[in-house]
């Protein structure tokens, strides 16, 4: 984040570049984490559907 800014670049561009550099090695972990969150939500919904189904005749 201490890179010298090039004249003419906006603050938003520099901020985006710095975030990209900081997260570039963490992207695979973020993808895996989102996948696990989706799977967990599907399991939770399935559990609730099973409970509801068990209550019906």
């Amino acid at each position: 984040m201490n890179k010298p800014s090039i004249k003419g670049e906006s603050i938003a561009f520099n901020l985006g570049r710095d975030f990209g550099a900081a997260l570039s090695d963490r992207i695979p972990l973020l993808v895996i984490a989102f996948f696990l969150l989706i799977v967990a939500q599907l399991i939770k919904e399935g559990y609730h559907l099973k409970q509801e189904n068990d209550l019906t005749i």
Side-chain angles (χ1 to χ4, degrees):
M1 289 198 144
N2 294 330
K3 298 175 186 172
S5 62
I6 298 172
K7 189 172 187 176
E9 290 181 350
S10 68
I11 293 172
F13 176 80
N14 289 330
L15 184 65
R17 183 185 64 208
D18 291 341
F19 278 142
L23 293 177
S24 65
D25 58 340
R26 294 182 180 104
I27 298 276
L29 287 177
L30 289 174
V31 171
I32 291 170
F34 282 128
F35 177 73
L36 289 176
L37 284 173
I38 291 169
V39 170
Q41 185 65 31
L42 290 173
I43 290 172
K44 182 179 174 182
E45 287 180 21
Y47 177 73
H48 288 300
L49 284 174
K50 182 177 181 336
Q51 280 186 332
E52 192 174 309
N53 190 22
D54 288 343
L55 294 175
T56 60
I57 297 174

